[in-house]
Amino acid sequence: MNATMRRVALAASVVSMTVALAACGSAKEADSGKKDEKKKTGPLTIGLLLPEDQTARYENFDRPYLTKKVKALCAECKILYVNAKSDTSVQQQQVDSMITKKVDAIILDSVDSKSIASSVRKADEDGIPVVAYDRLAEGPVSAYTSFDNETVGKVQGQALLEALGDKAKSGKVVMLNGWEADPNAALFKKGAMSVLKGKVNVGKSYDIDRWLADKANEAMTGAISSLGKKNIVGVYSANDSMAGGAITALKSGGFNPLPPVTGQDAELEGVRRVVTGEQYMSVYKSYLDEAAAAAEMAIALGRGEKVNESNTVDSPTTKHIPATLITPISLTKKNIKDTVVKDGNYTVAQICTAKYKAACDAAGLK
């Protein structure tokens, strides 16, 4: 290569390097600009997506508590609320709508944790953080809050064992587990079986579609027909609405007295059944605490801030998700006043209507 050619090659190299460095600098500046844009100090818009309205908790507790907490942390923040009514495709459309509306963060209680993953991914690609609420959605969620769901199952299982006493292996237990599309259902079952395995005989086990009371009623009716009335000693029901369906089937099947039946969510009708003794127990979960954690996470993430990463969980698609897990409490006749009444979920007057007055008096609820 002669001198002239070397000079031309060197000049081309310098130009090429200069362009590359300039491009690199532009990319860094663009990234820096994006980070700056995420740091928001003014009002935010938070999308709130709840899964269904059949279970009383969502409209009676989760929605108002979440709204109240967001407003307490950010008075001018706006909340866009939608309910999927157990329809996975509707919820996917609702997430798309939130993305189109350019919300700053989403609080999502998924109908189906797997099918919602693509929607979560879309939100993430548009820079919208998603807080998985109560159920751990798949996809790149930014944070998660729920209860310690294996512990929920353990609490239920332990209560059932205590109720059965020395009759634990004298017959069959019917398992009414939650909807298999809900990842919490598997955790409740796992926790319950970690306590019950080897200590009871499971006669029938059902995964109840969409947690519906009428489906639980059908399953319980089938179990009675298959196992025989004399052979059923207890019922593990994963939540209160299914417990109600099971108890109706047990009554129709001629059970008197009723075998112990578990529950969860401390729904008003469930609490009343606990007072009368028709339902042995429920699981009280402080929705106030859960809602507070979700609201704090959503606002922090919407402002471009980090959330507490001292505790993390893994989903099938995402590892090390910052999480706040709240401890559940076994609710029986003995602690109704110290749980749902004390926390303001219900008043004694709401629980103890005329129909339940005698049972309430006997339980010390006055």
Side-chain angles (χ1 to χ4, degrees):
M1 182 183 290
N2 61 34
T4 300
M5 290 182 68
R6 279 198 298 271
R7 284 196 296 272
V8 170
L10 180 59
S13 176
V14 169
V15 169
S16 176
M17 186 178 295
T18 302
V19 170
L21 288 171
C24 182
S26 298
K28 286 180 180 178
E29 286 167 12
D31 285 346
S32 176
K34 286 180 182 178
K35 289 177 183 176
D36 289 342
E37 287 174 4
K38 287 183 181 178
K39 291 285 185 181
K40 296 185 179 180
T41 56
L44 304 175
T45 300
I46 308 293
L48 172 58
L49 289 79
L50 295 183
E52 46 104 341
D53 56 4
Q54 295 298 305
T55 305
R57 60 166 287 189
Y58 293 112
E59 295 296 331
N60 292 348
F61 303 119
D62 296 277
R63 180 185 178 184
Y65 288 164
L66 280 160
T67 301
K68 185 177 180 179
K69 186 61 180 179
V70 168
K71 290 294 185 181
L73 294 170
C74 176
E76 295 183 1
C77 283
K78 183 179 179 182
I79 297 171
L80 300 182
Y81 170 69
V82 287
N83 190 303
K85 298 186 178 181
S86 301
D87 191 317
T88 55
S89 61
V90 166
Q91 191 167 69
Q92 289 169 338
Q93 292 165 12
Q94 289 171 341
V95 174
D96 288 344
S97 176
M98 294 293 175
I99 294 169
T100 300
K101 292 173 181 176
K102 299 187 184 300
V103 298
D104 297 293
I106 291 173
I107 298 173
L108 170 69
D109 193 340
S110 58
V111 175
D112 184 324
S113 62
K114 291 183 181 296
S115 67
I116 203 65
S118 59
S119 299
V120 173
R121 195 172 301 110
K122 286 181 188 176
D124 181 67
E125 288 168 356
D126 272 56
I128 301 172
V130 175
V131 176
Y133 180 77
D134 204 63
R135 298 171 182 172
L136 184 53
E138 294 188 15
V141 299
S142 299
Y144 170 59
T145 183
S146 186
F147 298 89
D148 187 331
N149 292 313
E150 278 193 45
T151 299
V152 169
K154 289 176 182 178
V155 166
Q156 292 170 318
Q158 189 59 48
L160 185 57
L161 276 183
E162 290 172 0
L164 291 172
D166 57 9
K167 295 180 181 179
K169 279 209 160 186
S170 65
K172 305 290 186 181
V173 166
V174 177
M175 301 281 293
L176 301 176
N177 308 298
W179 189 25
E180 59 185 352
D182 180 347
N184 289 355
L187 295 172
F188 300 148
K189 187 195 299 188
K190 181 180 178 182
M193 289 309 298
S194 73
V195 174
L196 296 173
K197 189 174 181 181
K199 296 177 182 177
V200 301
N201 298 312
V202 176
K204 289 287 182 180
S205 183
Y206 305 91
D207 294 333
I208 306 301
D209 181 34
R210 291 166 290 162
W211 301 88
L212 294 173
D214 60 341
K215 297 296 183 182
N217 181 279
E218 290 174 13
M220 191 71 235
T221 300
I224 295 168
S225 176
S226 176
L227 299 174
K229 174 184 168 184
K230 293 181 179 179
N231 294 319
I232 296 173
V233 295
V235 179
Y236 167 83
S237 171
N239 79 353
D240 288 345
S241 61
M242 297 195 309
I247 288 166
T248 300
L250 290 166
K251 287 180 177 179
S252 297
F255 283 77
N256 187 21
L258 293 169
V261 180
T262 67
Q264 178 186 180
D265 292 331
E267 293 184 357
L268 181 56
E269 288 304 316
V271 172
R272 287 171 173 164
R273 288 192 297 267
V274 170
V275 171
T276 63
E278 289 185 342
Q279 184 173 321
Y280 180 70
M281 61 81 72
S282 185
V283 177
Y284 174 58
K285 304 185 297 188
S286 176
Y287 303 128
L288 273 171
D289 293 343
E290 185 182 28
E296 289 167 6
M297 287 173 167
I299 289 174
L301 291 166
R303 296 201 189 289
E305 301 167 358
K306 287 188 175 182
V307 297
N308 189 340
E309 298 185 9
S310 59
N311 188 36
T312 63
V313 297
D314 297 338
S315 77
T317 60
T318 309
K319 305 301 181 186
H320 309 301
I321 302 165
T324 298
L325 300 179
I326 298 157
T327 303
I329 300 169
S330 179
L331 182 138
T332 64
K333 289 182 185 181
K334 296 177 182 178
N335 64 354
I336 289 173
K337 266 190 175 179
D338 295 329
T339 52
V340 292
V341 173
K342 182 180 177 182
D343 287 358
N345 287 36
Y346 315 112
T347 64
V348 171
Q350 284 176 302
I351 299 168
C352 301
T353 57
K355 179 180 177 181
Y356 303 98
K357 185 179 184 305
C360 283
D361 288 347
L365 284 172
K366 298 180 180 179

